[in-house]
Amino acid sequence: MKQLIIHGDPGIRNGAIIRYEADEGEAEVVCFGINRNGEYHGPDRVQLWCTVGREDEYEDYEKRNFTPHFLDVDRVDAEDVEVVRAKSDLAI
């Protein structure tokens, strides 16, 4: 599980599956939770702070079996994110 900061908005919501180039190679992850920052005050464009991981890590995310402050952080521009699925079936 990681924290992913996306500079810009690629049009994703909770449950999205995305691909991006990480330090250890290309990563395909599921977005468990997304916080949207910078709407009114902040950087020149929106930032999405996403908690991402493999599908088998979702149970740990639901039960909070992780410490958010100790997750590794990746940063990527919205243009460098390939959206496989934009949102989960239940997302609005």
Side-chain angles (χ1 to χ4, degrees):
M1 204 174 320
K2 288 185 175 188
Q3 213 37 38
L4 176 65
I5 300 172
I6 302 174
H7 299 279
D9 186 2
I12 60 173
R13 300 294 173 256
N14 285 346
I17 298 175
I18 59 172
R19 245 186 237 121
Y20 70 97
E21 192 65 38
D23 292 338
E24 59 275 349
E26 187 174 85
E28 182 171 307
V29 293
V30 178
C31 296
F32 301 139
I34 300 176
N35 293 322
R36 190 175 174 92
N37 297 314
E39 283 284 35
Y40 301 105
H41 305 288
D44 56 347
R45 60 185 180 158
V46 173
Q47 290 181 350
L48 300 181
W49 290 48
C50 310
T51 304
V52 300
R54 298 182 317 268
E55 285 188 43
D56 61 340
E57 293 176 317
Y58 185 69
E59 186 176 348
D60 285 336
Y61 174 78
E62 278 188 319
K63 294 181 178 182
R64 302 290 187 226
N65 288 335
F66 67 98
T67 307
H69 298 327
F70 295 116
L71 292 178
D72 291 334
V73 178
D74 284 341
R75 296 174 181 265
V76 67
D77 288 325
E79 299 83 28
D80 299 331
V81 173
E82 179 186 341
V83 179
V84 177
R85 181 179 74 189
K87 60 183 180 179
S88 69
D89 296 335
L90 298 176
I92 297 174

